[in-house]
Amino acid sequence: MTTSKTKLFCLVGDPVDHSVSPEIFTRAFEACGVDATYLAFRVPSRCLGEAMAGLRALGLSGCNVTIPHKIAVMDHLDAVEGTAKEIGAVNVIRVENGRSVGYNTDGEGALRALQGKKIEGKRVAILGYGGAARAVAFSIASTQSPDEVIISGRDPAKAEGLAQRLRALFSVKSRPSSIEGLGEALPDVLINATPIGMAPWVEEIPVDRDVLRAGMVVFDLVYNPAETKLLREAKAKGCIAVGGMEMLVGQAAAAFEIWTGINAPLKEMRRAAEGALRSRGGADA
Ligand code: NAP
């Protein structure tokens, strides 16, 4: 039951109606007996500062931040934790004693999804250089000792920008590659951090099939549909396919732990995410 003591968490983004975060966190709070509730707020960019001031003024306990505010929100916080500062994006905010602190859990979510897959000494290719790509690239470069991190996309200057930052921050081998040039790079791990393949563009694939080789780890951040065309092709070629659902649950679990200090109920959160996507019509959502 909601009372005057119930804590309020929320999602801030634009749009937010596609999000499954309310279902994931509501189930997690219930499963752990946390007296809290979670709502989604559509906040246009011009109102972001007011929304952040409102968060503190109304005494909310925290929020998730999604597209398009993950970078801009940093200007409206009292502090940004080290990893989020390095990545340059915030997807989780915790409010304590009236102070808002920003975190980034996307990278941790990606590492949870890749658990058990060998990254050390491997050639990792990341498609994209946006917010999620940066979080994934920074986590892998800083914790997994890859042989090399290749950043691939349609804008060579942006790809080189991210590669250059990885070299500077983590002394890791990193270089840009065109999407067409990826086949020659022979990556061992391929990560799609672009929206290509996401519903409703389910028949699209971000790389040429020839890039896929048996034994390669193929991780698609897209979680709707659960199995993208890239993952279907990867499985057909004998690759190890990892879908975006594990990262979705992993980044949410890390947020839950930052907010509550309690181990996240992973099974319940995954079930809630899957159920929410199904009820939105799955791949056609
Ligand atoms: P973002 O910051 O907008 O970055 C999008 C990236 O994709 C950019 O590098 C962009 O490059 C590239 N891109 C977009 N359309 C493209 C196209 N047609 N061809 C080639 N490249 C294209 O978005 P984001 O937050 O990083 O999210 C990226 C994807 O990851 C989304 O599908 C999102 O749902 C998913 N994601 C999943 C999770 C999870 O938990 N599973 C978490 C975060 C994000 P240009 O600048 O050249 O357009």
Side-chain angles (χ1 to χ4, degrees), residues 18 66-67 70-71 91 106 109-110 127-134 136 152-155 158 179 192-196 198 204 206 219-224 243-252:
H18 66 287
T66 189
I67 288 175
K70 285 185 182 181
I71 296 168
N91 72 319
D106 280 337
L127 296 162
Y129 29 68
R134 289 166 65 102
V136 173
S152 186
R154 51 189 175 182
D155 183 332
K158 287 187 188 168
I179 298 172
N192 176 37
T194 77
I196 301 172
M198 191 170 95
E204 292 182 15
F219 175 26
D220 198 338
L221 266 60
V222 172
Y223 56 83
N224 183 20
M245 178 59 77
E246 283 311 307
M247 174 171 166
L248 178 70
V249 174
Q251 60 79 27

Side-chain angles (χ1 to χ4, degrees), residues 171-234:
S171 308
V172 68
K173 230 165 53 178
S174 186
R175 66 182 166 93
S177 163
S178 64
I179 298 172
E180 299 73 35
L182 265 185
E184 282 166 33
L186 295 175
D188 307 298
V189 180
L190 179 73
I191 301 175
N192 176 37
T194 77
I196 301 172
M198 191 170 95
W201 305 285
V202 294
E203 281 314 312
E204 292 182 15
I205 182 163
V207 285
D208 197 287
R209 284 164 193 77
D210 295 344
V211 176
L212 306 171
R213 291 174 298 123
M216 177 190 263
V217 173
V218 178
F219 175 26
D220 198 338
L221 266 60
V222 172
Y223 56 83
N224 183 20
E227 188 171 75
T228 57
K229 185 165 185 174
L230 172 65
L231 294 184
R232 278 201 307 278
E233 298 276 353

